[in-house]
Amino acid sequence: MPFRSRYTGLIDRYRDRLPVHDDTRIISLGEGNTPLIRLHHIPDIIGKDVDIYVKYEGLNPTGSFKDRGMTMAVTKAVEEGSKAIICASTGNTSAAAAAYAARAGITAFVLIPEGKIAQGKLAQAMMHGSVVIQIQGNFDEGMALVKQVADHAPVTIVNSINPYRLQGQKTAAFEIVEELGRAPDYHCLPVGNAGNITAHWIGYCEYSSAGGEVTKACKFCDGNCRFAGGAIVGNRPKMVGYQAAGSAPFMRGKMVDDPETVATAIRIGHPQSWDYAWQVQKESGGWFDECSDELILAAQKLLAEKEGVFCEPASATSLAGAMRDIKSGKIPEGSSVVCTLTGHGLKDPDTAIAQSTAPLINIKPTLDAVKHAILDNLN
Ligand code: F0G
């Protein structure tokens, strides 16, 4: 058997493309390297011939794409001597911050909107021993507080305004290009703070500007990528960002003060990467759009029932929007499309159970009763 080295996380994998040194202590939980799953049934269901994939980021160690950014942010915080990190969060960032801080042996402070984060995420923050601060306000208010308090206390912010977060998250684009052999025609993402759509664009641009030989390069690390005016070769996708209708500042063209949606992860009205995201939209020739909560939940259920992939509601926004735009022809037949599924469905069991219509069959423990339950429910 040829020796195959163990996968040890995305910093090791893309070390020469990330701002780390040879002697940097890497804080990793083996994040990245997530499956790109080709959808087999959904093209038939929508009656269109498209090559559509989901990038299942829910299979990262804490169940969301945040781990990609957090491995970098915590690695650099530790390298710079920080003993504590802080974030505001709709749940996934706090879960990742808590886990990576535990791994590093430092303290995580997480500010979350009271009563508005999914159960699984709260459980993670608590289990990993972070200091959970619930605020009687929303994510945007928490974010504003975090930005202020960092000037008054020795804590490193690990929200996506920390540039190392985007550095880690750009590696998802590297993986997609490497797996498909090219960038897809369209890349669809759910948008909250808009850090992830920005990070993906950085990744695609670095890849294409280096012709596959990606080097350390982008505005965020003083390099030479597209953001800094580097030369472009190779293809890049149109970046499409979908928001929940009740939390859609990019559609309104301005900040939204009272965001509301069942997709609590993207219940954000004041995106931190506002300017970058518009830049991404313009440069890539993509667009923003919004999806109703009903459409988001329907896509989540369809994906789980027809493809066997369980994502959280916010994540299904990418698929919900893509399916609508494929149906309408805005995304033409023959296109290759990647939808990022940002978080695992197990993060939010309450929403899943509440919307499920699957029958729960209660029976006596007899062979006859089991037999009937089977025969009555065979398709
Ligand atoms: N999907 C999920 C599951 C998320 O948790 C988030 C953001 C997004 C999409 C949007 O990503 O902000 O980069 O545009 N969650 C953050 C958090 C805000 O605190 O966990 P974005």
Side-chain angles (χ1 to χ4, degrees):
M1 284 285 284
F3 174 75
R4 289 194 63 196
S5 65
R6 216 162 61 81
Y7 181 81
T8 49
L10 62 85
I11 297 182
D12 261 352
R13 168 77 182 81
Y14 294 110
R15 184 174 272 279
D16 59 334
R17 302 159 194 195
L18 292 167
V20 288
H21 307 287
D22 288 346
D23 58 354
T24 302
R25 177 185 160 213
I26 307 297
I27 311 298
S28 171
L29 293 165
E31 57 295 309
N33 199 21
T34 54
L36 186 65
I37 303 170
R38 189 162 188 225
L39 299 185
H40 289 156
H41 301 291
I42 284 180
D44 287 344
I45 292 168
I46 54 181
K48 295 284 185 179
D49 182 15
V50 282
D51 203 16
I52 180 166
Y53 302 81
V54 288
K55 179 75 168 158
Y56 197 11
E57 292 287 275
L59 291 193
N60 275 296
T62 77
S64 87
F65 73 98
K66 304 287 180 179
D67 296 343
R68 289 186 187 273
M70 207 54 73
T71 184
M72 268 308 305
V74 175
T75 291
K76 294 305 280 187
V78 168
E79 185 173 67
E80 288 158 12
S82 187
K83 297 277 180 283
I85 58 174
I86 190 166
C87 66
S89 181
T90 56
N92 281 324
T93 300
S94 54
Y100 283 81
R103 182 80 164 163
I106 61 174
T107 305
F109 296 94
V110 306
L111 266 75
I112 54 172
E114 186 183 332
K116 289 291 188 178
I117 81 166
Q119 280 291 96
K121 304 175 189 179
L122 181 60
Q124 289 177 291
M126 294 170 75
M127 276 304 279
H128 290 304
S130 65
V131 180
V132 180
I133 304 168
Q134 303 204 73
I135 61 162
Q136 288 149 13
N138 61 27
F139 168 84
D140 300 309
E141 291 167 293
M143 191 65 236
L145 287 168
V146 162
K147 284 195 210 163
Q148 289 167 44
V149 85
D151 292 334
H152 300 276
V155 286
T156 303
I157 300 179
V158 293
N159 281 104
S160 55
I161 56 170
N162 176 328
Y164 298 123
R165 278 276 310 276
L166 302 192
Q167 285 297 305
Q169 286 169 216
K170 75 183 180 184
T171 60
F174 294 168
E175 290 175 14
I176 291 165
V177 175
E178 283 167 4
E179 201 160 332
L180 295 180
R182 64 190 289 277
D185 299 320
Y186 296 85
H187 190 133
C188 305
L189 293 115
V191 169
N193 264 323
N196 209 25
I197 196 167
T198 305
H200 277 76
W201 186 239
I202 294 170
Y204 283 123
C205 291
E206 285 187 23
Y207 217 102
S208 62
S209 65
E213 291 302 313
V214 180
T215 51
K216 265 194 238 188
C218 90
K219 183 172 184 171
F220 300 90
C221 57
D222 300 326
N224 183 35
C225 80
R226 181 67 184 85
F227 275 114
I232 303 295
V233 291
N235 75 312
R236 295 175 299 166
K238 290 187 174 18
M239 303 298 292
V240 184
Y242 296 111
Q243 300 212 280
S247 307
F250 285 102
M251 293 309 292
R252 307 286 100 80
K254 61 178 171 48
M255 302 298 170
V256 169
D257 282 336
D258 292 306
E260 204 45 85
T261 170
V262 68
T264 52
I266 50 172
R267 188 171 165 269
I268 294 172
H270 289 239
Q272 297 299 311
S273 294
W274 177 260
D275 292 338
Y276 287 138
W278 283 114
Q279 192 180 338
V280 170
Q281 180 265 320
K282 285 195 195 82
E283 286 188 7
S284 76
W287 61 89
F288 293 111
D289 208 338
E290 62 191 302
C291 299
S292 67
D293 281 2
E294 293 70 31
L295 203 68
I296 292 170
L297 292 178
Q300 182 197 21
K301 193 155 175 270
L302 188 76
L303 186 67
E305 285 184 356
K306 302 297 182 194
E307 302 279 3
V309 179
F310 189 20
C311 68
E312 67 170 286
S315 308
T317 310
S318 58
L319 182 66
M323 283 171 57
R324 187 183 54 205
D325 285 342
I326 292 165
K327 260 191 224 163
S328 75
K330 190 169 184 182
I331 295 178
E333 281 198 280
S335 302
S336 61
V337 183
V338 170
C339 294
T340 297
L341 300 180
T342 43
H344 202 289
L346 289 172
K347 293 267 191 178
D348 190 354
D350 297 335
T351 306
I353 291 170
Q355 74 140 332
S356 174
T357 47
L360 284 178
I361 304 165
N362 299 313
I363 56 163
K364 297 243 153 37
T366 66
L367 179 59
D368 204 41
V370 178
K371 199 176 78 191
H372 274 105
I374 292 171
L375 294 177
D376 292 350
N377 287 286
L378 271 182
N379 291 329

